[in-house]
Amino acid sequence: MLLSAAIRKSLASHHSRRAAIGIGHIGQFSVRSAHSSIARGAIKVLDVPNNPSLNNGINAFSTAAAAVNEHPATPSSPTPSPSREVADENPFVPTTERQYKFFRNVELTPSGVAIIRFDNPDKKVNTLSFALMREAEGLWEDEIGSNGDVKSVVFTSAKESGFIAGADIFDISSVDDKASLVPVIEEALQFFLRMKSKDVPMVAAIHGPALGGGLEWALWCDYRICTDSSSTKLGLPEVKLGLLPGFGGTQNLPALVGIQGGMDMMLTGKDIRPPKAKKMGLVDMVVAPQSLESVAIATAEGLANGTIKKSKPKKKSFMNRLIEDTPPGQNLMWDKVQKMVDKNTGGNYPAPYAIIDCVKYGLSHPKGLDKFKHERQGFAKLAATQESSALIGLFDGMNQMKKSSSSADPIAVKKVAVMGAGLMGAGIAQVTAEKGYDVLLKDRDDASLGRGVSYMNDNWGKKHKRKRMTKYQFNLNTSRVTPLSDDTESWKRHFSGADLVVEAVFESLDLKRKIVQQVESVTPDHCVFATNTSAIPIADIAAPGDEVKRPENIVGMHYFSPVPSMPLLEIIPHAGTSDEALATAFAVGNKQGKTCVVVKDVPGFYVNRCLGPVLVETTALVKEGVPIEKLDDAMKRFGMPVGPITLIDEVGVDVASKVASYLSEADLDVRMNGGDISLMSNMVEKGWLGKKSNQGFFTYEGKKGKKIGPDVTSYLKDFTGGKVSDMSEKDIQDRIASRLVNEAAKCLEDEIIENPVAGDIGLVFGIGFAPFKGGPFRYLDSVGVTSYVDRMNGFADTLGEQFEPCQLLKDYAASGKKFHG
């Protein structure tokens, strides 16, 4: 484990006094990885060529802390209830061939190795549910506990999809009184202790994901073996759902891999791949998938007869002993961890603090079971928080978004063509090739094409260097991409086999219609044409005429930049889009790893439409004399990844100005009033384009960071007339947030989005709306629609009609309804 430079410096300065040693890789903890992987939003406003945007990608939820569930959550019940699979109308009936619902029949080898295979036939992945744990207790008691012939045990999975993908989160969310989870978790802990009391070696044989409760199960074993498959990953990602590991993970993981390694895993929720897992001592052996079971059985035999020793925690280096095993080292370590969590969560997420508390409690209470009691009590408290409810709601919503609203079957897509090899086009080509499609990447000339190919290869090269991709996968991805230019004589022949074409060219209606005409002339009749426009109405691109002969095949697929990092995809059908084209776009987007939200064909679609009033309100606050640093700080404390001023600089002042101007002339009417967007247009005339030109609201000085220069100070003084406002942080937050939330509600009212779930997912995944608030609609539910409408009415009375709540909000306020249950 490497110490960061800052900690090394601290160590050097204090070593003579036997003080302060800190922690290295905990310093890598980020909001993005810490909660739902989405708290560091990246914004793409309107696509313009070579426009850099926030490069803080939002990664989608991992299947980790809980497995993907194909069904909606069950209604709440007052006490812990069985998982949905147990409540089926056709309950499981044991037979000779299948004695257990969640396990294959136990196999006992001649040498006394009991092989227990997880296998839930009703799900694609194994999950730990209340029902599985109860069945496991019965299995152990009947077949293992008192069976003298059992000398050792191997736990593995009968599924190719993986070991155990985590706990069934809907078992947790279905419980009203979260305190009642404590005895349920205690029962599970007692089961693990009974397993250990058998005093026979236990081996976890892991292929695919071993996440959350799955890894915690493996941590109770004496030996862990995993495969070298790219699908194998280990982790405790409960923090992403606002929870902590509840089956002993906060105690067993640090004991095995050290405090630093354990805290890094639990605070970030990151996945650990096999090579690193072996290096850090998380697993004892890495083998090929085809060898896993035979090696596990042989290992279990060796552990039983003494020829193989039980796994022990990896020996610590001198530096790590100094950090983790001495009071001065621990003091500085915890101080650094606390500061890093404070910095990256803003105190908005309780789970990291609870994890820290559990680990520290275990260190001070190493003997007995109190540490496990403390852990499960902490779990139940977190499960009852609004933050966890919001994050679980987002996770559930993401899974709901995987289902297309179209009843039609998508066409079979094997080959995807991408028109335009710029930042967007190359990104689309990259994620498409990575998912197994053959890709045609075309641009007007070889130079433009080369830049796109280099972009992809550079990204894949970084993944390979960081051991996130094998050399074989790197070569496979590059082999799937066929680069083509106008000068490539065979490009028409290649396009004749395309099933889907995605255009990512300049924002010009004439150019896009010309591209449609060009594509339709060389592609088969079934080929779907998707436009990545972020401004031009899809209906205008698809309007029948000389250029367009198959308008029913045209649909919008609005990606967010950078495409490889951003999980959201807006899919926009126009009135004439066929159900098959819509279903095809949705299926391809899903396979690309995107969370797809279907949006009506209106100016700005959904995400950018909601962003417009925010830009206007930002200019209004600046005009009133609110310091720009105060604006940024207020919205970051609200929970946004960056403040509005930094956002404008990051996406480009020119781009933000274009958005504000475009939407001001669109159909949002008074909702785009109240500000002065010349704030940005004047800056564009000065050449202050934001971070990309090193000068926007802030002056950027490379590694030195950013500052407000004298020219901007003078400009803002002229713009405000010298006014300086002492407006409260709460007023700033409410004014900006209410403009965003009201527009989201108006989009729901106008059926631009299908439901509140889509609205929450769109703004959390699209602009990083505070994940711990769950999105705009869960936020409204939590603060109360009635009180929010009253707050907006107060603003409307004093500031103008741009703050008047939309009719849907008024209706919900009058009825007391909630957007989510």
Side-chain angles (χ1 to χ4, degrees):
M1 298 178 187
L2 298 177
L3 293 175
S4 67
I7 304 303
R8 288 187 184 278
K9 183 177 180 180
S10 176
L11 173 61
S13 64
H14 293 281
H15 181 65
S16 62
R17 298 193 301 272
R18 299 185 63 187
I21 300 122
I23 188 166
H25 54 262
I26 291 297
Q28 298 169 9
F29 171 80
S30 69
V31 175
R32 178 174 60 192
S33 57
H35 277 285
S36 67
S37 292
I38 54 181
R40 295 286 297 176
I43 316 301
K44 168 180 166 270
V45 188
L46 290 178
D47 295 323
V48 293
N50 301 318
N51 169 46
S53 62
L54 266 174
N55 198 14
N56 291 326
I58 303 173
N59 298 317
F61 281 107
S62 130
T63 54
V68 172
N69 195 295
E70 293 84 19
H71 310 288
T74 51
S76 296
S77 56
T79 57
S81 58
S83 302
R84 282 180 298 277
E85 54 257 2
V86 180
D88 287 344
E89 293 181 4
N90 300 312
F92 174 73
V93 177
T95 64
T96 303
E97 292 76 21
R98 182 83 186 202
Q99 297 176 343
Y100 305 99
K101 175 160 188 177
F102 303 103
F103 300 88
R104 294 279 180 91
N105 290 354
V106 178
E107 180 182 340
L108 187 63
T109 71
S111 59
V113 179
I115 306 171
I116 300 176
R117 298 181 178 89
F118 299 100
D119 181 30
N120 182 351
D122 295 338
K123 288 188 177 181
K124 295 177 182 178
V125 294
N126 294 317
T127 63
L128 289 187
S129 61
F130 294 159
L132 181 145
M133 293 303 297
R134 282 192 287 271
E135 188 175 74
E137 292 174 21
L139 179 153
W140 188 270
E141 182 178 347
D142 294 342
E143 303 209 36
I144 309 297
S146 57
N147 188 345
D149 293 333
V150 174
K151 308 300 181 186
S152 56
V153 178
V154 170
F155 291 106
T156 191
S157 172
K159 291 183 182 292
E160 280 296 316
S161 59
F163 186 69
I164 301 174
D168 187 331
I169 59 169
F170 299 108
D171 266 355
I172 299 167
S173 60
S174 65
V175 177
D176 278 340
D177 181 9
K178 305 303 183 186
S180 63
L181 290 169
V182 173
V184 177
I185 299 173
E186 182 179 10
E187 183 180 349
L189 181 78
Q190 291 300 324
F191 165 64
F192 289 126
L193 293 174
R194 284 196 296 276
M195 282 172 36
K196 297 293 285 185
S197 69
K198 170 72 174 174
D199 201 27
V200 296
M202 295 184 293
V203 177
I206 299 166
H207 172 69
L211 302 167
L215 179 58
E216 288 185 280
W217 190 301
L219 289 173
W220 285 101
C221 294
D222 303 294
Y223 210 90
R224 284 154 296 279
I225 305 171
C226 75
T227 68
D228 59 6
S229 168
S230 60
S231 68
T232 298
K233 52 186 178 181
L234 301 91
L236 294 180
E238 287 85 351
V239 72
K240 296 179 181 180
L241 296 182
L243 300 169
L244 57 76
F247 292 144
T250 64
Q251 308 306 313
N252 294 338
L253 182 64
L256 181 67
V257 303
I259 302 173
Q260 296 175 83
M263 293 304 295
D264 186 37
M265 286 179 63
M266 291 186 288
L267 290 179
T268 63
K270 66 170 65 171
D271 295 334
I272 303 297
R273 300 292 174 172
K276 185 175 180 180
K278 176 66 169 67
K279 183 178 181 180
M280 68 188 295
L282 185 58
V283 300
D284 301 282
M285 194 182 305
V286 178
V287 299
Q290 58 268 31
S291 304
L292 177 63
E293 189 164 304
S294 60
V295 172
I297 292 171
T299 301
E301 292 173 349
L303 289 167
N305 63 32
T307 58
I308 296 177
K309 294 183 179 180
K310 288 186 178 182
S311 173
K312 292 183 179 180
K314 190 171 183 180
K315 186 177 180 180
K316 297 179 183 179
S317 67
F318 169 76
M319 188 66 69
N320 285 336
R321 290 200 307 274
L322 201 59
I323 294 170
E324 299 182 8
D325 300 337
T326 68
Q330 284 191 4
N331 287 340
L332 184 58
M333 176 181 69
W334 290 123
D335 179 66
K336 295 292 183 182
V337 171
Q338 183 78 24
K339 288 179 179 177
M340 192 58 63
V341 172
D342 288 344
K343 178 182 177 181
N344 288 306
T345 69
N348 291 318
Y349 296 84
Y353 299 99
I355 290 171
I356 293 170
D357 174 66
C358 284
V359 175
K360 293 172 82 171
Y361 187 92
L363 292 172
S364 62
H365 299 78
K367 296 181 180 179
L369 302 179
D370 279 354
K371 55 189 176 183
F372 298 112
K373 179 181 179 180
H374 189 78
E375 178 189 76
R376 59 181 173 267
Q377 289 174 339
F379 182 95
K381 288 178 182 177
L382 288 175
T385 62
Q386 286 189 348
E387 291 83 0
S388 179
S389 177
L391 292 168
I392 289 175
L394 287 172
F395 178 84
D396 185 25
M398 185 190 71
N399 291 329
Q400 289 184 41
M401 291 295 99
K402 292 179 180 178
K403 300 174 184 177
S404 173
S405 58
S406 172
S407 59
D409 292 329
I411 66 171
V413 175
K414 295 182 179 178
K415 183 176 291 186
V416 177
V418 180
M419 300 286 283
L423 183 66
M424 293 299 297
I428 294 167
Q430 176 183 327
V431 300
T432 306
E434 287 175 352
K435 299 303 179 180
Y437 290 110
D438 292 328
V439 177
L440 308 175
L441 180 61
K442 182 179 181 296
D443 211 313
R444 62 183 182 274
D445 54 52
D446 290 340
S448 301
L449 187 63
R451 286 191 290 271
V453 172
S454 295
Y455 173 85
M456 290 186 294
N457 289 341
D458 288 348
N459 286 343
W460 286 329
K462 290 174 184 176
K463 286 187 176 183
H464 177 250
K465 184 177 181 180
R466 295 168 183 167
K467 299 183 178 179
R468 296 292 182 89
M469 177 181 289
T470 64
K471 188 64 177 177
Y472 169 77
Q473 191 63 51
F474 176 94
N475 291 334
L476 191 61
N477 289 340
T478 56
S479 71
R480 289 181 179 134
V481 180
T482 301
L484 303 165
S485 71
D486 288 348
D487 295 331
T488 307
E489 294 183 2
S490 61
W491 80 262
K492 295 181 180 180
R493 176 172 56 80
H494 283 290
F495 268 63
S496 68
D499 304 301
L500 170 70
V501 175
V502 183
E503 69 79 10
V505 299
F506 292 96
E507 288 288 86
S508 162
L509 176 59
D510 290 341
L511 176 60
K512 290 181 186 292
R513 285 181 63 84
K514 182 179 178 182
I515 294 292
V516 174
Q517 182 181 40
Q518 188 180 54
V519 166
E520 286 187 341
S521 69
V522 296
T523 55
D525 289 344
H526 72 266
C527 182
V528 173
F529 183 93
T531 172
N532 182 50
T533 180
S534 55
I536 301 172
I538 311 302
D540 291 354
I541 297 173
D546 293 339
E547 305 96 333
V548 179
K549 303 300 183 184
R550 303 196 294 259
E552 70 279 2
N553 287 4
I554 296 178
V555 65
M557 292 180 73
H558 179 210
Y559 294 85
F560 289 72
S561 182
V563 178
S565 302
M566 295 294 287
L568 186 68
L569 173 63
E570 289 181 319
I571 297 180
I572 311 101
H574 64 92
T577 299
S578 70
D579 290 342
E580 289 77 12
L582 175 60
T584 300
F586 200 96
V588 171
N590 262 344
K591 188 171 179 180
Q592 289 172 330
K594 302 302 179 184
T595 297
C596 302
V597 176
V598 177
V599 180
K600 186 183 285 188
D601 186 15
V602 295
F605 308 138
Y606 174 57
V607 173
N608 290 338
R609 192 177 180 88
C610 290
L611 194 59
V614 171
L615 294 173
V616 172
E617 190 58 28
T618 298
T619 67
L621 289 164
V622 173
K623 188 81 170 180
E624 292 175 34
V626 178
I628 60 176
E629 311 101 303
K630 188 174 182 178
L631 275 177
D632 268 2
D633 290 344
M635 294 315 294
K636 286 183 70 175
R637 276 192 277 272
F638 178 81
M640 303 300 283
V642 295
I645 299 297
T646 296
L647 168 66
I648 293 170
D649 266 7
E650 291 281 1
V651 300
V653 180
D654 53 338
V655 178
S657 179
K658 183 179 179 181
V659 168
S661 298
Y662 172 72
L663 292 178
S664 293
E665 297 171 2
D667 59 348
L668 280 77
D669 198 28
V670 298
R671 301 194 305 281
M672 286 296 290
N673 288 355
D676 183 353
I677 59 177
S678 69
L679 170 68
M680 296 176 288
S681 60
N682 290 339
M683 292 175 66
V684 174
E685 292 178 3
K686 294 175 180 290
W688 299 352
L689 305 183
K691 192 172 183 179
K692 60 187 174 185
S693 66
N694 294 321
Q695 180 62 64
F697 286 98
F698 297 103
T699 301
Y700 296 86
E701 301 180 325
K703 294 181 179 179
K704 293 182 180 179
K706 62 184 183 182
K707 66 179 182 180
I708 302 174
D711 291 343
V712 172
T713 300
S714 176
Y715 171 68
L716 292 176
K717 184 176 181 179
D718 291 341
F719 182 76
T720 63
K723 294 192 295 290
V724 178
S725 172
D726 61 352
M727 186 180 299
S728 72
E729 181 175 279
K730 182 70 164 57
D731 280 352
I732 294 171
Q733 292 172 342
D734 286 351
R735 283 182 57 173
I736 292 178
S738 65
R739 299 290 295 269
L740 179 69
V741 168
N742 187 56
E743 195 58 43
K746 181 61 175 172
C747 286
L748 182 61
E749 176 184 315
D750 293 343
E751 299 181 342
I752 294 170
I753 50 175
E754 293 179 333
N755 51 51
V757 173
D760 286 337
I761 292 293
L763 289 191
V764 171
F765 282 21
I767 64 171
F769 186 96
F772 66 91
K773 297 182 187 295
F777 295 101
R778 287 190 183 276
Y779 173 59
L780 282 168
D781 285 347
S782 67
V783 300
V785 181
T786 301
S787 62
Y788 209 76
V789 165
D790 289 343
R791 179 71 163 155
M792 290 192 68
N793 282 331
F795 285 143
D797 290 342
T798 57
L799 297 169
E801 58 186 345
Q802 68 271 19
F803 281 99
E804 182 178 351
C806 69
Q807 189 59 48
L808 184 67
L809 286 183
K810 294 177 182 178
D811 292 345
Y812 271 60
S815 65
K817 287 177 62 178
K818 288 190 172 185
F819 289 99
H820 294 279

